[in-house]
Amino acid sequence: MVGITPAEKKALITRNLQETLGDDKLTKILGERDLKIYWGTATTGKPHVAYFVPMSKIADFLKAGCEVTILFADLHAYLDNMKAPWSLLELRTQYYEQVIKAMLSSIGVPLEKLKFVKGSDYQLSKEYTLDVYKLSSVVTQHDAKKAGAEVVKQVEYPLLSGLLYPGLQALDEEYLKVDAQFGGVDQRKIFTFSEKYLPQLGYEKRIHFMNPMVPGLAGGKMSSSEEDSKIDLLDSPANVKKKLKKAFCEPGNIADNGLLSFVKHVLFSLFKEGEGFEVNREAEHGGDVTFLKYEELEKYYAEDKLHPGDLKATVEKYINRLLDPIRKAFEKPELQKLSAAAYPPPAKVKAGAAPAAGADEDAPHRLDIRVGKVVEVARHPDADTLYVLKIDLAEAQPRTIISGLVKFVTQEELDQRLVAVLCNLKPSKMRGILSEGMVLCTSNADHTEVEPIVLPASAAPGGRLAFEGFSGTPDEQLNPKKKVWEKLSADFKTNSDGLAVWKDNFLLTPEGEKLSSKLANCSIK
């Protein structure tokens, strides 16, 4: 923008942000030159319409004369609990680049003013790797875990990769040679981590800009892993209508309204001078009305003057305008092929067959969980905390299974009890005795309470337990090198009612009955 003052640049850069760390430094730099800033995105789940929130801020940065770098953080995607399998990293990075460029073009951002960088292009260099080691020598485990708490997937036994994640994101600021990093407010702990530790390596502390988190369509954060909470960038107009129809939009509620948040943070930031949010409705319902300021719309809705149906219909119109150019771009056969390859549908895995690339994720049908009946209980001769169980699974003979329940359940309570058994783990010796499976139990966080999952009395030994919505064939044996159980168990727990679920999908008997535990909101192992 010609003739824009440093104060006007600052207003553009910071509008609609929830927080800025380093305001004085921002003022000083803008008084001397244009700001260098980067936004990074881990190439995991498919980008959805909420990505228009950072895209619209990037448009603001460019209007303010900033030099903007977009980082496709492919290594971060792998480090975050392997959300993107190694075999799909390159394909997903290509998909992200294509779809984000299409998004930016959709809102009129000139791509030639942007710099696009892939993390692995520099994060595998000798210099960067040495800095990772230097950082690991000064960062405590506590600080690394705390920094990633809002971003890295949290599991009971975190992988070392998740602890490395915040450090790499901090080092990116130095290696991309920027003044500032931009992200969601969920990144705040990583940003303060960076401010604390970069100077310890002799690097300058950076400025940090934080967007608010936009509620999803069902309320709460919009997430790639929750289908009904988000609209995919390639969703058809019919799908957009269907999802918006189901969206949470309580009359007069402006506090947790994903539609209003989208209007505020995306549409109003993109409207040109004199353009507003135009609602079309029948005369008997108030007639057409246009809002030139978001505050006017919010007040109007809070006063129950705008029906949720009219808000949904108007947002649908504007979302389709944004998505039309992206849909058109992805009509090209090569981009359709890329989309299918980067995000293959979960494949059914035949017994003994290797899963397709990417099938490790979100596939609990791969677990062979069956009803078992304990027919014999004995103490392990060489381990005080272990039982040696004989469990009837309706096979030719009972299986021997070792279980660490001595401190939590008596022999009398276990004898003749129905239990849920994970049957396709690789057999392994435990203190000299081969264990051929695992009794599934709930455990509280500090492991002071542990109990086997409770099965309905009507369950019959050998019956296969399945997760609601997943009907594939279990693996003959889970490959321990692929850590299939470790990844799937991260989302296997009891809900607030004490019912066994995997990502809110109930674990059911063949008769459709649910399994339970007295321990609510606890992990199942």
Side-chain angles (χ1 to χ4, degrees):
M1 294 175 73
V2 179
I4 188 170
T5 67
E8 289 170 330
K9 289 180 180 181
K10 184 176 178 181
L12 262 178
I13 289 168
T14 59
R15 73 166 174 171
N16 287 338
L17 293 177
Q18 183 161 324
E19 187 177 2
T20 298
L21 300 177
D23 188 76
D24 291 343
K25 185 172 184 178
L26 172 62
T27 302
K28 182 176 182 295
I29 291 175
L30 289 176
E32 300 168 354
R33 58 174 173 81
D34 288 327
L35 194 71
K36 297 177 182 178
I37 185 170
Y38 101 87
W39 172 73
T41 179
T43 51
T44 53
K46 278 189 173 183
H48 44 74
V49 292
Y51 276 61
F52 276 112
V53 177
M55 296 302 104
S56 61
K57 272 314 300 176
I58 287 170
D60 281 345
F61 298 149
L62 291 173
K63 289 175 189 173
C66 299
E67 295 179 28
V68 180
T69 297
I70 291 181
L71 170 67
F72 297 113
D74 50 349
L75 290 186
H76 286 79
Y78 183 73
L79 290 174
D80 187 3
N81 216 50
M82 290 178 280
K83 282 184 181 176
W86 195 264
S87 58
L88 296 180
L89 271 185
E90 178 59 33
L91 289 168
R92 290 195 177 174
T93 302
Q94 291 175 27
Y95 179 86
Y96 262 68
E97 181 169 358
Q98 293 296 329
V99 84
I100 284 176
K101 284 181 176 179
M103 289 180 78
L104 291 166
S105 297
S106 166
I107 60 175
V109 173
L111 299 183
E112 62 271 14
K113 290 189 177 182
L114 292 164
K115 181 180 179 183
F116 296 92
V117 177
K118 188 168 70 171
S120 56
D121 285 344
Y122 66 90
Q123 290 166 346
L124 299 175
S125 69
K126 177 182 176 182
E127 296 76 15
Y128 190 95
T129 302
L130 183 57
D131 270 344
V132 171
Y133 286 132
K134 286 180 180 177
L135 200 58
S136 69
S137 71
V138 294
V139 174
T140 65
Q141 179 185 349
H142 171 270
D143 281 5
K145 186 175 181 181
K146 179 183 175 184
E150 302 295 326
V151 177
V152 178
K153 186 173 183 178
Q154 297 300 294
V155 294
E156 187 176 1
Y157 301 105
L159 298 172
L160 180 60
S161 58
L163 300 178
L164 290 173
Y165 190 108
L168 269 66
Q169 189 167 332
L171 287 173
D172 289 340
E173 297 177 348
E174 174 63 24
Y175 279 79
L176 292 172
K177 302 302 178 187
V178 295
D179 305 305
Q181 183 180 174
F182 164 60
V185 73
D186 59 337
Q187 306 266 340
R188 193 182 196 282
K189 290 177 181 176
I190 291 183
F191 291 165
T192 55
F193 171 97
S194 172
E195 294 188 3
K196 176 180 178 180
Y197 283 107
L198 275 192
Q200 294 189 37
L201 268 62
Y203 298 138
E204 194 176 347
K205 186 164 70 172
R206 264 62 178 192
I207 302 164
H208 295 103
F209 301 122
M210 283 163 273
N211 250 354
M213 300 307 294
V214 175
L217 300 180
K221 180 181 175 182
M222 196 176 288
S223 169
S224 295
S225 61
E226 294 179 31
E227 188 61 31
D228 285 341
S229 83
K230 51 90 178 182
I231 293 171
D232 191 273
L233 296 171
L234 300 180
D235 270 346
S236 67
N239 270 346
V240 171
K241 181 183 288 290
K242 178 183 173 183
K243 290 181 179 180
L244 286 175
K245 189 175 181 180
K246 294 166 65 177
F248 176 78
C249 192
E250 196 174 44
N253 182 352
I254 60 174
D256 189 25
N257 191 317
L259 299 183
L260 284 177
S261 292
F262 186 82
V263 173
K264 177 181 179 180
H265 292 286
V266 177
L267 299 183
F268 270 92
S269 68
L270 297 175
F271 286 152
K272 296 178 174 62
E273 189 72 30
E275 191 178 1
F277 186 73
E278 184 181 337
V279 179
N280 302 118
R281 55 188 179 178
E282 299 295 332
E284 60 264 32
H285 296 138
D288 296 349
V289 59
T290 299
F291 302 92
L292 296 178
K293 293 182 179 179
Y294 172 76
E295 292 73 20
E296 296 171 355
L297 169 63
E298 187 180 82
K299 183 174 183 291
Y300 198 80
Y301 190 81
E303 293 172 352
D304 274 341
K305 294 179 180 178
L306 181 63
H307 190 274
D310 292 322
L311 177 62
K312 288 182 178 184
T314 308
V315 171
E316 178 188 342
K317 172 181 68 177
Y318 284 105
I319 284 180
N320 279 320
R321 283 185 194 173
L322 291 171
L323 297 187
D324 278 342
I326 303 171
R327 295 176 186 132
K328 188 169 181 59
F330 272 77
E331 286 175 0
K332 298 174 183 175
E334 62 269 25
L335 292 187
Q336 290 183 6
K337 184 178 178 182
L338 172 62
S339 179
Y343 295 94
K348 292 184 179 182
V349 182
K350 295 181 180 179
D360 286 5
E361 297 184 310
D362 298 354
H365 64 264
R366 298 182 64 185
L367 305 177
D368 183 4
I369 304 175
R370 293 185 235 162
V371 179
K373 184 176 182 179
V374 180
V375 294
E376 185 180 315
V377 186
R379 298 286 288 268
H380 195 297
D382 298 317
D384 293 339
T385 61
L386 300 179
Y387 283 129
V388 181
L389 308 177
K390 296 288 185 181
I391 298 181
D392 176 15
L393 290 158
E395 296 174 320
Q397 59 187 28
R399 288 198 190 194
T400 299
I401 293 177
I402 311 298
S403 183
L405 286 169
V406 170
K407 293 181 180 179
F408 309 103
V409 186
T410 67
Q411 288 183 241
E412 292 74 21
E413 289 171 327
L414 271 180
D415 193 25
Q416 305 305 307
R417 178 170 181 155
L418 291 175
V419 290
V421 180
L422 180 59
C423 295
N424 58 344
L425 290 173
K426 184 178 181 180
S428 62
K429 282 192 175 182
M430 300 182 71
R431 296 292 186 90
I433 298 177
L434 189 69
S435 182
E436 301 171 293
M438 180 170 68
V439 174
L440 295 175
C441 300
T442 49
S443 169
N444 62 359
D446 55 8
H447 208 65
T448 55
E449 287 187 86
V450 179
E451 74 155 14
I453 295 176
V454 179
L455 283 92
S458 59
R464 180 157 286 138
L465 304 174
F467 290 95
E468 183 180 43
F470 293 89
S471 57
T473 303
D475 292 16
E476 184 174 330
Q477 184 177 102
L478 299 176
N479 187 337
K481 292 182 180 179
K482 298 287 186 182
K483 298 191 179 296
V484 179
W485 165 241
E486 288 79 0
K487 285 184 273 186
L488 290 172
S489 66
D491 294 299
F492 192 13
K493 60 191 71 175
T494 54
N495 63 14
S496 57
D497 296 320
L499 298 174
V501 295
W502 185 86
K503 285 190 177 180
D504 296 327
N505 300 284
F506 292 108
L507 182 60
L508 305 173
T509 67
E511 294 73 38
E513 294 182 274
K514 298 169 184 174
L515 281 68
S516 64
S517 170
K518 68 181 181 183
L519 301 177
N521 296 316
C522 288
S523 62
I524 296 176
K525 300 284 186 184

